[in-house]
Amino acid sequence: MNYIKRNNALLNILILSSFIVLSLVFCLFFMKTKTIYYGDDMYYHLQRINELIKNAKDGNVFVGIYTYTFDKVGYPLNLFYPWITLLPFVLIYGAVKNLTVAVYLGISFYTFLTLVFTHWVTFKYCHSKSQSFITACIYAFCSYRVIDIFARFALGEFLAMTFLPLVVYGAYAIIKGNYKDWPFLAFGISFVLLSHLLSTLIYVLFLVVLGIVIFLVSRQFDSIKNRLLSLAKAIVVAATSSAVFLFPFLEQVLFQHFQQPSKMDMVEQALIPAKLLGCSINNTVGRTVGGNVYNIGFVLLFVMVLGIMYYKKMDRNYKIIFVLAIAFFFASTTLLPWAQLEKTPISVIQFPWRLLVISSFLLSVVGGYEFTMVTRNKNKALAVIIAAFLMLIPWYSGISNLKRDIAKPDQYIAYHYVELNNNSFNYSHGAKKTAKYMIYLDQYTPEKGLPALDMVRDHLAVIGHKTVKLDNIKSGGTNKLEYTSNKFVNGTGITLPMYVYKNLQVMNGNGKKLSFTSSKNNQIKVNNSFGSNKIIVQYKASKLDVCAIILSLGTWLLGMVVFMKRLVQKYCKMRSSKD
C-alpha cells in the first residue's frame, strides 16, 4: 500500500513537472523572437496591461478610469471589461521588468493552469491519469486556443478558456448528485466572468443545454431539492467572488445607456462548413487566409473521425459528450439559421465561431477517452509519450506557419510590437496611426456622447463658445486626470474632453470641489474653475465598490481556507490508514 502511495506521489510530481515544461513550450518559439506578433486585439490588451502596470507602480490596484493609456480620455474600461485575471501579468512584469517577457510568461502561466485544471476535473470524472493527461494536452494545445491568443490576441477569451473545465465539471457534478463539488462551478464561472463577459454568456448557454440533455437522457429526477440547493450555493458564491467587477459594472450600466458593443452581422460571421473542415485539416492558425480561418485543428478533427468510427463502442456518457461537440461544431456554421437568431439576445456573442470553444473542450474529453480505447492492454507510459508527441507535431507546424506569415513586411497585418518606450509601443512594421482605431473607444462611451467622440479623443475642450485644445494633461495613479490651461482661469461654461460616469468628482488646482453637470453630449461641464488653471477629474470608489472588493477578497480567502482544510483532512486520512 505504501509503495503504491509513494508511486502515486512521484507520478503526480512528474505530471506537474511535465505541465510546467509544456506550458513554457507553448510560448517558447514566440518568446525567442523577443517581440509580440500582431493579433487582432493585441494593441487593445497590451494597453490594458500597461495601464495596470503603471497604476501598480503608483500603489493603485483598483483602476476605475484609464489615465495613462487609451488616449488619456479617462476611459473607464475596468468598470466594463473584466480585469482581475490580468493581475498575474502585472506581477510577472514586476519580477522581470520586461513587458514582452511578462506577456509570454503570463500566457505560459495560464497554459499551466489550463493543463492542471483539465487534468484535475477529468481525473475526478474518469479516474484514469493517462486519459486525464492526454485530455489536458489536447485541450491546452488545441488550434482554437492557439488562434485565440496568437492570431487574434483575444486575451479575455483565452483566459476564460482556462476555467471552462472547472465550469463544465462543476455543473455535471451538481446534475449527477456530487453535491460537495459545487465549488467547481462557483469559482469556475466566477473567474470566467472575471476574464470575459461574452464567454460567460456562451458557457452558461452551454450549461443550460448540457443540463437539459443529461436530465432527458438519465431521467434522474430524484433529489431535486439537493441539486437546486447546490446550484443556489454555486450562484451565490460565484456572485460574491465576482463582486469586485460585477457590482461596479452594474452600477455603471444602470446609470446611463450604452449601445451594444461592436454589433456584428451573425450571418456574415458564421463559418462556411467546407472552409471550416478545410482549415481544420490544414491545421490553419494564421490570419493570412481570406476569412473563415477559425477551426478546431487537425487533432480534434481526427478525434471527431475516430469518434464516428468508435461511436457504438463508446460509453453512453461519452456518446452524449461527442454528440454535443458535433452539435456546437456545426452550430458555428451557416448551417444554423443565424439570420433569425441574430434578432434574439444571443446576437451579443457577435461571432458564431466562438461556439467552437465548446466543441474544442468536449472533443478533447472524447479524445482522451479514445486514447484509452485504442491503447487498452498496451504500455500506458509509452503510449502517452507517443500520443503527446504526435499531438505536438501539427501544433508546431501551425505556429511555425503563423510566425512566418505574420513576420512578412509586405502583409497588411505584419506589424508587431517590439518594446515599450515612454508609454508608447514601437513597431518593426506597419503604420502606428492605425492604433487609434484599435482601442475601440466607442464601445463603452455613453450613447449620447458618441457624436463628440472625435473631440474627446483629440482633447478638445469648449470654454464659453470657443474650442480649445488641451495639451497639458497629467496622469495620476489614483484614478485621476489633471487638465492644465490658462484658459480655465477666467473661463466660464467649461466642457471637458471627458464623459460623465458614476462616481466621478471634479476639483480645481486648489483642491476645491467643483460641481458639474452633463453637457448635451454627456461630457463633464463645470461653470468655472474659481480662478485656477487646473481642473482635476477623479474616480472615487463608492461604498458599493469598497464592499465589492471586500466581498470578493473574503470569498477568495475563505475558498482557499476550505480548500486547504480539505487537503489536510485528506492527508491526515492517508496517514491514519498508513498507521
Side-chain angles (χ1 to χ4, degrees):
M1 180 65 72
N2 291 337
Y3 174 77
I4 294 174
K5 289 179 180 177
R6 188 161 53 249
N7 277 358
N8 280 334
L10 290 173
L11 181 58
N12 289 335
I13 292 172
L14 180 62
I15 289 172
L16 282 176
S17 299
S18 66
F19 284 167
I20 293 173
V21 172
L22 287 170
S23 63
L24 292 172
V25 166
F26 188 79
C27 290
L28 180 64
F29 300 100
F30 283 99
M31 193 181 300
K32 289 193 302 183
T33 67
K34 299 180 181 180
T35 65
I36 301 175
Y37 286 93
Y38 171 78
D40 295 352
D41 298 331
M42 179 193 72
Y43 188 81
Y44 180 81
H45 290 295
L46 289 183
Q47 291 276 23
R48 293 177 64 213
I49 295 172
N50 185 31
E51 181 72 33
L52 292 179
I53 289 172
K54 294 286 188 181
N55 276 267
K57 290 178 179 178
D58 294 327
N60 181 39
V61 177
F62 187 85
V63 181
I65 58 173
Y66 281 24
T67 58
Y68 289 101
T69 59
F70 284 76
D71 288 344
K72 287 189 176 183
V73 298
Y75 197 48
L77 186 56
N78 278 13
L79 303 177
F80 295 89
Y81 199 113
W83 55 276
I84 288 294
T85 48
L86 291 185
L87 292 181
F89 293 91
V90 179
L91 293 173
I92 294 171
Y93 177 84
V96 301
K97 305 300 181 184
N98 182 296
L99 185 58
T100 304
V101 175
V103 167
Y104 282 125
L105 288 180
I107 293 170
S108 293
F109 170 72
Y110 277 105
T111 299
F112 174 73
L113 288 185
T114 301
L115 288 162
V116 170
F117 290 159
T118 307
H119 183 276
W120 185 14
V121 298
T122 305
F123 182 74
K124 287 182 71 67
Y125 177 74
C126 69
H127 307 291
S128 167
K129 289 193 176 181
S130 59
Q131 179 178 334
S132 302
F133 184 86
I134 294 299
T135 298
C137 290
I138 295 175
Y139 181 57
F141 285 83
C142 71
S143 289
Y144 188 82
R145 193 168 176 273
V146 174
I147 292 169
D148 239 10
I149 192 59
F150 292 130
R152 297 184 58 222
F153 209 91
L155 190 57
E157 295 174 56
F158 174 81
L159 299 181
M161 288 184 72
T162 304
F163 308 101
L164 177 57
L166 302 180
V167 172
V168 176
Y169 173 75
Y172 171 81
I174 291 174
I175 295 170
K176 296 297 287 186
N178 301 331
Y179 307 122
K180 288 185 178 181
D181 282 346
W182 61 264
F184 283 89
L185 175 60
F187 287 102
I189 203 68
S190 169
F191 278 90
V192 170
L193 179 57
L194 293 173
S195 303
H196 193 244
L197 281 174
L198 293 184
S199 292
T200 308
L201 176 64
I202 293 170
Y203 295 1
V204 170
L205 174 66
F206 166 64
L207 294 185
V208 172
V209 174
L210 179 67
I212 293 173
V213 170
I214 291 179
F215 269 121
L216 290 177
V217 173
S218 63
R219 299 185 178 276
Q220 292 182 340
F221 299 108
D222 58 316
S223 302
I224 294 294
K225 181 180 178 181
N226 290 331
R227 289 184 173 85
L228 291 177
L229 180 60
S230 296
L231 180 60
K233 290 178 184 177
I235 293 173
V236 170
V237 172
T240 58
S241 174
S242 310
V244 65
F245 166 74
L246 189 59
F247 289 9
F249 169 74
L250 293 175
E251 195 175 29
Q252 294 297 327
V253 297
L254 294 175
F255 178 68
Q256 59 189 326
H257 191 263
F258 298 87
Q259 285 188 343
Q260 178 180 325
S262 303
K263 185 174 174 60
M264 296 290 179
D265 186 327
M266 303 289 276
V267 177
E268 186 177 296
Q269 295 298 327
L271 300 176
I272 298 172
K275 287 188 176 181
L276 170 58
L277 291 171
C279 287
S280 295
I281 292 172
N282 294 327
N283 211 67
T284 304
V285 296
R287 296 304 311 274
T288 55
V289 178
N292 286 286
V293 299
Y294 310 103
N295 61 87
I296 60 172
F298 177 80
V299 172
L300 290 183
L301 189 64
F302 178 75
V303 168
M304 190 183 294
V305 172
L306 206 60
I308 295 172
M309 294 170 57
Y310 280 88
Y311 184 78
K312 290 184 178 180
K313 297 180 180 179
M314 283 185 181
D315 177 81
R316 187 179 68 167
N317 286 343
Y318 287 101
K319 286 182 178 179
I320 295 173
I321 295 171
F322 183 68
V323 170
L324 285 172
I326 298 295
F328 276 85
F329 176 78
F330 284 108
S332 68
T333 71
T334 54
L335 295 177
L336 205 67
W338 286 107
Q340 280 67 45
L341 290 174
E342 71 175 352
K343 300 174 184 177
T344 68
I346 200 175
S347 65
V348 299
I349 70 171
Q350 298 173 322
F351 308 108
W353 40 259
R354 277 181 166 148
L355 298 178
L356 289 178
V357 66
I358 303 298
S359 288
S360 295
F361 175 67
L362 296 181
L363 286 173
S364 298
V365 174
V366 174
Y369 174 68
E370 290 173 351
F371 167 79
T372 61
M373 295 177 68
V374 173
T375 61
R376 187 173 287 123
N377 301 322
K378 301 220 174 28
N379 186 315
K380 287 293 183 182
L382 180 61
V384 166
I385 293 172
I386 293 173
F389 179 73
L390 290 176
M391 282 186 293
L392 289 176
I393 291 176
W395 166 80
Y396 178 69
S397 174
I399 65 166
S400 296
N401 292 333
L402 169 65
K403 193 168 67 171
R404 181 198 63 192
D405 291 340
I406 60 182
K408 292 177 181 177
D410 57 335
Q411 296 289 331
Y412 78 99
I413 61 171
Y415 63 92
H416 55 275
Y417 157 75
V418 180
E419 61 178 335
L420 185 63
N421 184 28
N422 294 327
N423 203 41
S424 298
F425 296 111
N426 295 333
Y427 296 91
S428 60
H429 303 297
K432 189 178 176 183
K433 65 181 181 180
T434 59
K436 66 178 289 187
Y437 303 108
M438 297 167 62
I439 54 178
Y440 312 111
L441 288 178
D442 60 305
Q443 289 191 342
Y444 305 117
T445 290
E447 187 174 21
K448 285 173 55 180
L450 288 172
L453 183 56
D454 286 338
M455 287 188 64
V456 171
R457 180 186 284 118
D458 294 333
H459 304 132
L460 299 178
V462 177
I463 303 175
H465 297 289
K466 294 183 178 180
T467 300
V468 178
K469 183 172 177 60
L470 302 181
D471 294 315
N472 193 348
I473 304 175
K474 182 180 178 181
S475 303
T478 52
N479 292 311
K480 63 183 177 184
L481 278 174
E482 182 180 290
Y483 301 92
T484 302
S485 174
N486 291 329
K487 302 287 186 181
F488 292 157
V489 177
N490 299 312
T492 57
I494 304 170
T495 301
L496 297 173
M498 183 174 173
Y499 294 109
V500 174
Y501 294 95
K502 193 170 179 61
N503 302 328
L504 293 181
Q505 72 174 217
V506 183
M507 299 168 288
N508 68 7
N510 301 317
K512 178 180 175 59
K513 190 173 181 180
L514 305 177
S515 60
F516 65 93
T517 58
S518 176
S519 72
K520 67 175 183 178
N521 289 321
N522 225 64
Q523 294 169 254
I524 295 172
K525 184 175 183 179
V526 297
N527 187 40
N528 62 72
S529 66
F530 291 92
S532 176
N533 68 337
K534 293 182 180 180
I535 297 179
I536 302 167
V537 181
Q538 184 173 19
Y539 179 88
K540 296 288 287 186
S542 66
K543 291 181 180 179
L544 183 64
D545 293 340
V546 174
C547 288
I549 295 170
I550 295 172
L551 196 57
S552 289
L553 287 174
T555 303
W556 301 337
L557 180 61
L558 183 60
M560 287 298 297
V561 169
V562 172
F563 177 70
M564 294 304 296
K565 181 181 176 182
R566 288 187 179 182
L567 282 182
V568 170
Q569 288 175 340
K570 184 177 180 180
Y571 175 77
C572 291
K573 187 177 180 181
M574 290 173 62
R575 292 287 298 177
S576 61
S577 64
K578 176 181 178 180
D579 296 337

